[in-house]
Amino acid sequence: MFLADIPLNIDWQQILLHLLNFVILVGGLYLLLFGPIKKFILKRKAYYENLDKEANTKLENASLKEKEAEQRMLNLEDEIETKKVEAVKELNDLKSNYKKDAEKESEEIIKAANKEAKRVKEQALKDANKEIEALAIDASRKLAFAKSLDEAYDAFLNQDDGDNNGK
């Protein structure tokens, strides 16, 4: 009757029990395997997303540091150029100061040399005047003691020749 109406000998009760078994198996596998695997995959995904964010952050920091380094290099080049100009200016100032000092010193040396030359000239004139005076006195003595004017003149000339030959 009931079994007779079922074609191919299919028992619906058996099918429902198998379906229940299958649902329990799928539910158990879902709870035991799919949940932890899904958590593991999400955790792994979050880990790699975090690594990607850190890498992007580090890359941005590196690019910022590179830009800062380039800017520092430009600033250093400008600073070097400025210091170079200042050094050249300072060098030119020093050169002009040394030149002025050297000119002052040379003027002082020339003044001192002129004073010394003037002093030597005056001393030479004094010495020459004394020598001329001594010669004139000597000549006048010889003239006064000479027997005749001709002898005195000859003696004077002979004395002068003797002085020139001695020098």
Side-chain angles (χ1 to χ4, degrees):
M1 313 192 252
F2 186 69
L3 287 175
D5 291 334
I6 299 175
L8 298 172
N9 220 2
I10 297 176
D11 187 12
W12 287 104
Q13 191 178 13
Q14 273 300 340
I15 291 176
L16 287 176
L17 283 176
H18 282 298
L19 275 175
L20 180 66
N21 260 348
F22 181 74
V23 168
I24 291 173
L25 178 67
V26 169
L29 288 177
Y30 178 81
L31 290 175
L32 292 175
L33 293 178
F34 187 71
I37 290 175
K38 189 174 180 181
K39 285 181 186 177
F40 175 76
I41 289 174
L42 290 176
K43 190 175 170 183
R44 190 90 166 151
K45 184 179 177 183
Y47 172 75
Y48 282 112
E49 285 176 353
N50 189 21
L51 281 180
D52 190 40
K53 286 180 185 177
E54 287 178 8
N56 287 336
T57 305
K58 287 179 182 178
L59 184 63
E60 289 174 6
N61 288 340
S63 64
L64 286 176
K65 286 182 181 180
E66 182 181 7
K67 288 178 184 177
E68 288 176 4
E70 288 175 4
Q71 187 64 33
R72 279 192 222 144
M73 289 294 286
L74 291 174
N75 291 343
L76 284 176
E77 288 175 1
D78 291 343
E79 188 176 334
I80 288 171
E81 190 63 33
T82 304
K83 293 218 181 226
K84 192 177 184 182
V85 167
E86 289 174 1
V88 168
K89 183 179 176 186
E90 187 176 332
L91 179 65
N92 288 336
D93 290 344
L94 285 174
K95 282 172 44 178
S96 65
N97 287 341
Y98 283 137
K99 187 176 180 181
K100 287 177 185 176
D101 291 344
E103 288 173 355
K104 287 179 184 177
E105 190 175 332
S106 66
E107 287 175 6
E108 290 174 4
I109 290 171
I110 288 172
K111 285 180 184 177
N114 285 338
K115 285 182 182 177
E116 182 64 22
K118 194 174 187 180
R119 187 190 63 76
V120 168
K121 180 182 174 183
E122 288 174 0
Q123 185 65 35
L125 284 174
K126 285 181 184 176
D127 290 345
N129 284 337
K130 284 181 183 178
E131 193 174 317
I132 289 172
E133 186 180 315
L135 286 175
I137 290 173
D138 193 34
S140 63
R141 280 187 192 153
K142 285 183 181 180
L143 279 175
F145 293 118
K147 296 180 184 171
S148 74
L149 189 57
D150 288 333
E151 286 180 9
Y153 183 69
D154 287 338
F156 179 72
L157 287 178
N158 288 336
Q159 179 185 358
D160 189 40
D161 287 340
D163 286 345
N164 283 341
N165 290 336
K167 287 185 181 182

